[in-house]
Structures are given as structure tokens and as C-alpha cells.
Amino acid sequence: MPEQHGNTAARPPFFPPRFWMWMAGAVLIIVLDQLTKSYFDSNMAYAERWSVLPFFDFTLLYNPGAAFSFLADGQGWQRWLFTAIALGAVGLILQLLRRHPGQTLFCASLACILGGAIGNLIDRIMHGHVVDFLLFHWAGWHFPAFNVADIAITCGAALLILDEILRIRRERRRRAKPAA
């Protein structure tokens, strides 16, 4: 039973302690993302490439669009569209992290997506484009360049899918279990 204070029951904190753990993870992603982008933006010329492996280069490219340069050839309006989408996603993710801080895999995925979304949002607001610097290629084929924020978002999305698969499996097992 909740502790009583006068006539009202004690409420859990608005931001539970585990919420701040997830925020720290997101901040770590943001810092790593911004430091790496700053390094490559300061030390490379646009479109310059540093060969690292036969299939991997560092490069400096600017993406005014979304993932894989979607809408990159727009007239500038896409910057504000993607900024608004990112702000909406950040708000939703913060609510979900606050409400479900104990769901480890779910919150880890959201923290990754949050850190990546804010990392790219900072670029859009400050520069009007996202700084990309990781380039995989093979025999004339090039995967679109990306950055640490993109890696975090992709890993977060994969973890979110895994979390849902595991939730469905648990639910099926629970329903299949005979009542005692």
C-alpha cells in the first residue's frame, strides 16, 4: 500500500530514477555523434575520401534530406519537415521512457533512437544538413554515407523489433500455459 501523507497517497516520481539512466545513454550517443561529425567536418574537405579498407572510406558529405538522402533534392522545405518530425519523435520517446523505465530492451532501443534523432536534429538546426562521414562501397557500388546518429537509430529500430518479437512470444506462452 502506498505511503500516506495526510489525505493523499504518495505518487511515484514524475521522472523515475531509471529514466535518467536512459537519458544518460542518449546523451552519450549525442556527444559521440557530435564529436565525430565535428572532427570530420573540421579535418576534411567536402567529398574528400580517406581510404581505410578496400570496402570502407571516411568521407565528408552533407545530407539535406532524410535517411539515404530521401528528399535531399528538395528546395529547403524538407529541413523544417524533418525537424518537426524529429521534435515530435523526441517528445513521444521521452513520454515512453518516463512511463516504462523498467522495460530494459524497450527503453534501450528508445534511448538509441532518441540519441540518434537529437544528434541529427542538432545538425539540421545548426547547419541545414546532416554531416555524414562513413562510406561502405564495393566494385563501384556505394551504400549511402551515414554517421553515428544513423547507427544508433538503426540499432534502436532493430532492438525495438526484437523487443516486440520477444513480447509476442511471451504473450503466446502465457496464453498457452494451462491455468493451475
Side-chain angles (χ1 to χ4, degrees):
M1 181 146 179
E3 180 182 330
Q4 297 290 322
H5 294 284
N7 291 336
T8 61
R11 293 184 203 164
F14 189 73
F15 292 111
R18 290 197 74 188
F19 170 86
W20 296 110
M21 179 183 74
W22 301 120
M23 290 298 92
V27 167
L28 181 64
I29 291 167
I30 295 164
V31 169
L32 182 60
D33 176 64
Q34 290 298 302
L35 287 174
T36 55
K37 288 173 178 174
S38 177
Y39 174 81
F40 287 101
D41 202 24
S42 298
N43 290 290
M44 295 183 84
Y46 181 79
E48 181 180 359
R49 286 171 61 174
W50 295 344
S51 182
V52 178
L53 297 168
F55 56 87
F56 173 71
D57 296 343
F58 289 127
T59 189
L60 179 63
L61 297 174
Y62 301 140
N63 180 3
F68 309 117
S69 297
F70 176 67
L71 295 178
D73 57 350
Q75 302 302 314
W77 59 268
Q78 73 277 21
R79 171 185 183 186
W80 304 112
L81 171 68
F82 297 133
T83 297
I85 290 170
L87 288 171
V90 165
L92 175 64
I93 290 170
L94 289 173
Q95 281 294 342
L96 290 169
L97 287 171
R98 188 181 69 77
R99 290 184 180 166
H100 308 283
Q103 295 181 19
T104 305
L105 189 56
F106 179 67
C107 289
S109 68
L110 293 178
C112 287
I113 294 168
L114 179 64
I118 292 174
N120 283 340
L121 178 62
I122 290 169
D123 282 13
R124 283 189 204 294
I125 290 171
M126 289 181 51
H127 311 294
H129 58 258
V130 173
V131 176
D132 289 326
F133 57 88
L134 301 168
L135 181 66
F136 285 89
H137 56 88
W138 188 257
W141 170 86
H142 293 81
F143 190 80
F146 57 98
N147 57 48
V148 171
D150 298 333
I151 294 169
I153 292 167
T154 302
C155 290
L159 290 173
L160 199 56
I161 291 167
L162 176 61
D163 181 63
E164 183 62 13
I165 290 168
L166 295 174
R167 187 196 63 77
I168 290 169
R169 285 176 136 180
R170 284 190 305 269
E171 184 64 25
R172 282 185 185 158
R173 273 186 252 155
R174 188 189 62 76
R175 277 188 271 149
K177 192 180 206 180

